Amino acid sequence: MIMNKNKKPIVVGVTGGSGSGKTTVTKAIYDYFQGHSILMLEQDYYYKDQSHLPMQERRKTNYDHPLAFDTDLLIEHLKMLLNYETIEKPVYDYTIDTRSSEVIIQEPKEVIILEGILILEDPRLRELMDIKVYVDTDDDIRFIRRLTRDINDRGRTMESVIDQYLSVVKPMHNEFIEPTKKFADIIFPEGGKNRVAIDLMTTKIASILQAK
């Protein structure tokens, strides 16, 4: 597809708590527009570089706090993509709790899906979005999803997952993530299972693309 560089790309922000289904929603939108000019920009890739810190300090990182993210770099890259400039997206290595030496070359597209737990927390990011989506799922369901994922996919124990959820994830969600719901243009109840909401979202994006 030939991009019309005279018109600004569309930025769709998708957020919600851990286990809310925001990644499922994002993937559903992305898959719907396969073959079109679309990219995904994940906030998780933009955790701060911690290579200057000893390993014991890195292990203490609170990944659910706004200060864990290099938001300045994310904003810089998003603005570059909006200007149809190619970026070098960082890669975060959780095994060493810092950035990898590798980068991902990301070329600009006409639709940008920005996904992450705290993308609505910073007003500078919010100003760059055309559509802001909050995926709203019951706390119990989110916890069960996280518990299942971390045990099955990440080899963690039930005790460690529960302890992290109660000591970090839940309080950070209540303090920083849940309050950003008020900034959303659209709230998706039950995340990826809400096909009606996803269909409405894809229809809206398609209409904007057609108008452009």
Side-chain angles (χ1 to χ4, degrees):
M1 172 178 287
I2 299 174
M3 292 184 292
N4 184 351
K5 295 186 179 182
N6 293 321
K7 297 186 177 180
K8 185 177 78 69
I10 302 165
V11 180
V12 181
V14 181
T15 191
S18 174
S20 62
K22 65 183 178 302
T23 302
T24 304
V25 170
T26 300
K27 188 176 186 303
I29 297 171
Y30 184 85
D31 289 346
Y32 181 88
F33 288 99
Q34 278 287 358
H36 290 73
S37 180
I38 187 169
L39 69 86
M40 290 173 57
L41 193 63
E42 304 91 339
Q43 188 182 27
D44 283 357
Y45 282 64
Y46 287 84
Y47 281 115
K48 288 180 178 176
D49 180 74
Q50 302 192 110
S51 57
H52 61 289
L53 296 175
M55 186 60 71
Q56 60 267 29
E57 289 300 314
R58 298 183 203 173
R59 297 296 185 196
K60 298 176 184 178
T61 300
N62 179 351
Y63 287 111
D64 294 84
H65 194 284
L67 293 178
F69 294 97
D70 190 346
T71 304
D72 289 343
L73 180 61
L74 176 56
I75 291 170
E76 178 186 341
H77 280 184
L78 184 54
K79 287 182 176 179
M80 289 174 67
L81 290 169
L82 288 171
N83 288 323
Y84 289 100
E85 299 174 24
T86 299
I87 64 168
E88 294 185 352
K89 186 165 67 173
V91 176
Y92 198 83
D93 187 343
Y94 293 95
T95 63
I96 56 174
D97 292 293
T98 191
R99 272 188 207 151
S100 165
S101 59
E102 300 177 6
V103 295
I104 297 172
I105 304 301
Q106 178 62 68
E107 296 181 352
K109 304 289 183 181
E110 290 183 326
V111 179
I112 301 167
I113 304 178
L114 176 62
E115 183 259 343
I117 59 172
L118 285 164
I119 59 167
L120 296 185
E121 192 271 337
D122 193 304
R124 297 174 299 165
L125 268 179
R126 294 198 301 269
E127 290 173 0
L128 297 174
M129 300 178 205
D130 297 286
I131 305 172
K132 299 180 287 293
V133 178
Y134 187 98
V135 182
D136 194 18
T137 302
D138 182 81
D139 288 353
D140 291 341
I141 295 175
R142 291 192 304 101
F143 170 68
I144 292 169
R145 288 175 180 169
R146 185 183 180 100
L147 182 67
T148 303
R149 179 199 67 191
D150 285 2
I151 290 175
N152 293 340
D153 299 343
R154 301 183 180 178
R156 297 184 55 191
T157 65
M158 181 183 297
E159 292 76 13
S160 71
V161 177
I162 293 173
D163 178 66
Q164 183 186 34
Y165 181 80
L166 293 176
S167 63
V168 178
V169 178
K170 184 176 176 61
M172 293 298 99
H173 176 84
N174 292 337
E175 183 174 356
F176 295 111
I177 302 172
E178 180 77 16
T180 67
K181 187 192 298 185
K182 65 178 178 287
F183 299 120
D185 301 309
I186 304 169
I187 296 176
F188 277 23
E190 301 307 319
K193 293 184 178 181
N194 193 330
R195 295 306 311 178
V196 173
I198 291 174
D199 288 346
L200 289 171
M201 184 76 262
T202 52
T203 300
K204 176 62 177 176
I205 296 172
S207 69
I208 295 175
L209 279 174
Q210 188 174 15
K212 283 179 174 287

